[in-house]
């Protein structure tokens, strides 16, 4: 039976004693790009939950690898291809809220950096990525590594970054989301701004920004980043 205890245990729905592992949690089925359920993510609802983490996933296995999946991709494939853009947000609830508001080409990275497997799926549909994270998440090293993967070969995505106000997410105001989306910055501009903010002084900023710009092929986005660097460094 599909509901046999070994299968429930393998997908993380049951513990070794056969009891519900995700008791009193909000459960999100996690599917592959074709809609096949691979695992689950469960959100904490109660303070006395015996599982302390806010989100708990099914155990990693041959069936379920979180880094291979993007939440909502099965439903977003056609809108992404039609609009020639994929909008990546952090959380599952952001995807649900935006869909309810009529915004369809959206998937969630489930709080992790973009991986090669995820980018491979998106690459089949579009070359334009809009990464919409709050200002803290947009600057983490993991997020930046995901951006680097996306812009480099073999993918070569056009990556636009939308940094939402600190402490907010798309689910807070789906109707305002399009306004934020209309004011993105390119990955090179985003990276130059971060490098400058994090440098200990202007000389250090100059050195790191120059190294970064030298690594980029010439493009309108690189010219935009160069103009920003010129302004920041006087």
């Amino acid at each position: 039976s599909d509901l046999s205890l070994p299968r429930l245990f393998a997908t993380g729905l049951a513990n070794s004693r056969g009891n519900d592992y995700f008791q009193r949690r909000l459960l999100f089925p996690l599917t592959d790009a074709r809609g096949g359920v691979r695992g689950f993510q469960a959100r904490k609802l109660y303070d006395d939950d015996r599982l302390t983490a806010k989100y708990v996933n099914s155990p990693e296995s041959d069936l379920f690898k979180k880094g291979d999946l993007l939440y909502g991709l099965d439903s977003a494939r056609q809108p992404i291809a039609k609009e020639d853009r994929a909008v990546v947000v952090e959380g599952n609830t952001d995807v649900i809220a935006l869909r309810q508001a009529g915004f369809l080409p959206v998937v969630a990275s489930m709080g992790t950096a973009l991986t090669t497997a995820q980018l491979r799926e998106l690459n089949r549909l579009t070359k334009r990525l809009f990464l919409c994270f709050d200002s803290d998440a947009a600057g983490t090293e993991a997020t930046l590594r995901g951006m680097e993967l996306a812009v480099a070969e073999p993918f070569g995505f056009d990556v636009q970054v939308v940094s939402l106000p600190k402490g907010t997410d798309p689910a807070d105001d789906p109707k305002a989301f399009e306004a934020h989306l209309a004011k993105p910055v390119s990955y090179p501009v985003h990276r130059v701004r971060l490098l400058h903010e994090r440098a200990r002084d202007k000389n250090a900023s100059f050195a790191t920004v120059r190294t970064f710009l030298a690594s980029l092929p010439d493009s309108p986005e690189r010219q935009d980043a160069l103009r920003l660097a010129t302004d920041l460094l006087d």
Side-chain angles (χ1 to χ4, degrees):
S1 167
D2 283 348
L3 297 179
S4 65
L5 185 57
R7 192 172 183 87
L8 291 173
F9 180 67
T11 56
L13 289 174
N15 61 22
S16 58
R17 296 187 299 278
N19 298 322
D20 180 4
Y21 184 65
F22 296 129
Q23 290 182 33
R24 302 188 306 153
R25 283 187 165 233
L26 179 63
L27 203 62
F28 297 95
L30 304 181
T31 67
D32 58 28
R34 304 303 184 274
V37 177
R38 295 297 190 91
F40 299 88
Q41 187 175 73
R43 189 192 189 282
K44 184 176 183 177
L45 295 175
Y46 300 97
D47 292 338
D48 63 346
D49 195 320
R50 59 189 175 76
L51 303 174
T52 55
K54 183 177 180 181
Y55 285 94
V56 177
N57 303 317
S58 295
E60 293 279 316
S61 65
D62 291 341
L63 180 67
F64 174 69
K65 292 182 173 63
K66 181 185 172 187
D68 289 355
L69 307 175
L70 287 161
Y71 181 77
L73 182 58
D74 57 320
S75 300
R77 288 174 67 212
Q78 285 189 332
I80 288 171
K82 182 178 179 181
E83 297 187 26
D84 190 23
R85 61 173 178 169
V87 178
V88 183
V89 296
E90 288 181 83
N92 305 350
T93 53
D94 297 324
V95 172
I96 294 169
L98 290 169
R99 292 251 176 90
Q100 288 176 334
F103 187 88
L104 303 180
V106 59
V107 296
S109 62
M110 297 185 286
T112 61
L114 288 170
T115 66
T116 299
Q118 292 168 338
L119 292 168
R120 194 180 298 122
E121 290 289 351
L122 293 171
N123 193 49
R124 296 187 174 106
L125 305 168
T126 185
K127 284 289 190 182
R128 300 172 65 224
L129 294 186
F130 290 77
L131 307 185
C132 302
F133 304 145
D134 73 28
S135 54
D136 288 341
T140 66
E141 292 307 312
T143 303
L144 291 173
R145 283 196 300 274
M147 293 181 195
E148 288 172 354
L149 269 179
V151 300
E153 295 298 331
F155 299 117
F157 282 103
D158 169 18
V159 175
Q160 302 290 321
V161 183
V162 181
S163 295
L164 301 174
K166 188 172 182 178
T168 66
D169 57 47
D172 292 333
D173 189 354
K175 291 183 179 178
F177 184 68
E178 281 277 18
H180 290 301
L181 203 59
K183 297 180 288 186
V185 298
S186 68
Y187 163 68
V189 168
H190 176 71
R191 192 63 181 262
V192 164
R193 187 173 292 155
L194 281 178
L195 289 171
H196 180 70
E197 288 173 357
R198 294 174 177 179
R200 65 182 182 274
D201 55 37
K202 188 171 282 191
N203 287 337
S205 175
F206 177 81
T208 56
V209 166
R210 182 174 62 176
T211 299
F212 171 66
L213 290 174
S215 72
L216 300 177
D218 193 33
S219 67
E221 291 77 20
R222 183 183 183 277
Q223 292 301 316
D224 289 341
L226 183 59
R227 278 192 287 273
L228 174 62
T230 303
D231 291 342
L232 292 173
L233 295 167
D234 198 20

